[in-house]
Amino acid sequence: MGFLAGRHVLVAGAGVTGRSAAEALLAAGASVTVTDGSADRLAALEPMLPGVALVPGLVAPPPEVELVVTSPGWRPDSPLLVAAGAAGVEVIGEVELAWRMGLELADPPGWLAVTGTNGKTTTVGMLESILRAAGLDAAACGNVGLPVVDALLAGHRVLAVELSSFQLHWSPSVRPAAGVLLNLAEDHLDWHGSFEEYAAAKAGVLTGEVAVAGVDDPHVARLLASSPAAAHVGFTLGAPAEGQLGVLDGNLVDRAFGPDAVLAAVSDIRPGGPPGVADALAAAALARAHGVSAEAVGQGLRDFRPGAHRAEFVAESGGVSYVNDSKATNPHAASASLRSHESVVWVAGGLLKGASVDELVRSEGHRLRGAVLIGADREVIASALSRHAPSVPVAVLDDATMDDAVRAARSMAQPGDAVVLAPAAASMDMFSDYAHRGKAFADAVRALTGGDGRS
């Protein structure tokens, strides 16, 4: 890649994206240094990245560095990144690196990008399934797990790119062929500093040729209206107006891309409920913007299966179903999860990171049979329930395990109820990540139900 050859580049972070960025930079002829706060993590890279300088704990870029490629989790106020800015050294993310590398290809791949507070991974998975049903060489990448530079260098023709607000912050020139903003709610305010800054980062996905957004959310609708994209397409859970996708007579309908077309039945969509249907509409809009037929959209949606820990059915016992939605790591996601059930025993708690649960409890408290609260911010959630849903029985468990939480939830549940792990919070107070938390819940459910549940 011409713009990288011979340049000195510093990679900040030795995780998955840092390693992939370093490999791509080496292949492009750059001189590469990698830094990380963990010397052990750097040491693990040594056999994989011969020729790369591995330097722990840098707080300023070495004088020869001309570009910094940061891992997405590094905050803008990190000393190293602040020092780079003060020295006039550009800081970009791995996604931006992939974009610039792609522009130098004779035939760059198409980018279809997805962001939002919730539903990103499900939407990208649906989109990948649709694109493959259309016979296209497509890969889901970005925040979903596979670094974008890896998907680019593998030669995939269409990239279904999940973008976090962090990644968008560090991707100033990315302009996807089509991009969707699913929804917005308070999240990562500790990283961005304010909701306005968070929303501005998310709106970066709407700067390409076709901007798609969930217009049932007034804030998102305003961001769509102000987008510089040539084409604006909304999706709604209601009947679609001309130029929108929506739901009519039990079907997902496209009124934006060519003649009106039925894409799929609502009953075909997994996960079910409003959040799943909204994600399907978003994925369909991006695929249709890329020229995919209505038939392939329907086939891809029918073929799709949700990933683990996302509204995942675990078991049913004594007329009570148990659902693992550990991926609901903020209040907005938890609200969407609860809305998929009529009567719920809610298992929640963890690290709220400054987010408020008041609106969640106000809007969904009527469907709660009870609540079982664990983790660092359990008392914050308990206080919101006391204010806005005082009739809901609440068990606040101190120093509890997930086994304790599931037993308490079962004692509250009645036949027809769902016990739903939708924590509304991050997991790192008790678990290594949301997958660890979800597995603990599923293991506890299976141990408690004694194997008489169905799956």
Side-chain angles (χ1 to χ4, degrees):
M1 299 294 169
F3 81 101
L4 291 167
R7 298 187 74 187
H8 292 262
V9 183
L10 174 63
V11 175
V16 173
T17 58
R19 174 187 166 185
S20 292
E23 290 174 337
L25 289 161
L26 283 175
S31 297
V32 182
T33 299
V34 180
T35 189
D36 193 278
S38 167
D40 290 342
R41 193 163 7 181
L42 284 172
L45 288 185
E46 191 166 5
M48 308 175 203
L49 296 173
V52 170
L54 303 172
V55 184
L58 284 178
V59 294
E64 67 274 13
V65 166
E66 303 168 75
L67 177 70
V68 175
V69 177
T70 181
S71 297
W74 283 51
R75 293 166 52 134
D77 60 0
S78 300
L80 173 61
L81 305 185
V82 172
V89 177
E90 186 181 19
V91 180
I92 65 173
E94 172 265 333
V95 174
E96 177 76 11
L97 176 67
W99 175 258
R100 296 185 188 184
M101 292 175 71
L103 292 178
E104 295 202 337
L105 298 175
D107 185 18
W111 283 51
L112 304 175
V114 177
T115 198
T117 303
N118 301 300
K120 297 183 293 295
T121 301
T122 297
T123 302
V124 162
M126 289 174 167
L127 177 59
E128 180 187 55
S129 181
I130 291 168
L131 294 169
R132 290 182 175 177
L136 298 171
D137 175 14
C141 57
N143 196 54
V144 71
L146 177 68
V148 186
V149 288
D150 288 355
L152 176 79
L153 296 178
H156 294 293
R157 301 307 309 137
V158 189
L159 306 184
V161 187
E162 177 184 332
L163 294 174
S164 70
S165 59
F166 306 159
Q167 289 169 315
L168 283 161
H169 177 89
W170 298 118
S171 302
S173 68
V174 170
R175 301 289 181 267
V180 64
L181 176 55
L182 300 170
N183 46 56
L184 276 176
E186 287 188 348
D187 200 15
H188 303 305
L189 303 190
D190 53 341
W191 198 96
H192 289 280
S194 70
F195 179 74
E196 290 71 25
E197 289 296 321
Y198 171 68
K202 289 290 194 184
V205 82
L206 303 176
T207 57
E209 299 166 26
V210 180
V212 180
V215 294
D216 293 339
D217 182 326
H219 197 154
V220 172
R222 288 193 293 273
L223 290 173
L224 177 63
S226 62
S227 160
H232 293 182
V233 176
F235 67 88
T236 173
L237 291 173
E242 186 175 351
Q244 294 183 339
L245 283 76
V247 178
L248 191 62
D249 298 328
N251 293 306
L252 279 65
V253 175
D254 172 14
R255 299 195 64 203
F257 300 97
D260 292 1
V262 173
L263 304 174
V266 169
S267 58
D268 289 334
I269 306 304
R270 288 176 298 270
V277 173
D279 295 343
L281 289 165
L286 293 183
R288 294 288 278 162
H290 194 68
V292 172
S293 70
E295 292 75 18
V297 170
Q299 187 60 54
L301 291 174
R302 287 187 289 273
D303 290 345
F304 175 73
R305 297 294 182 273
H309 314 295
R310 295 174 180 87
E312 182 180 29
F313 175 82
V314 178
E316 182 178 306
S317 178
V320 176
S321 60
Y322 295 81
V323 177
N324 167 20
D325 204 355
S326 184
K327 185 66 168 63
T329 56
N330 58 62
H332 190 260
S335 180
S337 182
L338 297 179
R339 282 202 304 275
S340 297
H341 306 277
E342 292 298 320
S343 182
V344 180
V345 177
W346 181 29
V347 181
L351 294 168
L352 288 169
K353 300 181 295 182
S356 170
V357 294
D358 287 76
E359 180 55 35
L360 159 61
V361 174
R362 273 195 297 266
S363 61
E364 308 306 331
H366 67 282
R367 67 180 75 247
L368 298 181
R369 174 81 66 189
V372 177
L373 307 179
I374 59 175
D377 288 331
R378 58 192 179 275
E379 293 289 355
V380 178
I381 303 174
S383 178
L385 285 160
S386 176
R387 289 193 300 274
H388 305 296
S391 63
V392 173
V394 177
V396 181
L397 305 186
D398 298 330
D399 301 319
T401 66
M402 189 61 81
D403 291 309
D404 298 328
V406 170
R407 280 194 294 270
R410 185 177 73 165
S411 72
M412 292 181 175
Q414 298 181 16
D417 290 348
V419 171
V420 180
L421 173 67
S427 57
M428 285 75 75
D429 56 335
M430 294 175 62
F431 305 95
S432 58
D433 53 27
Y434 75 82
H436 179 205
R437 178 171 61 189
K439 183 179 184 302
F441 176 80
D443 289 346
V445 167
R446 293 184 181 114
L448 188 65
T449 59
D452 70 337
R454 61 175 178 84
S455 60

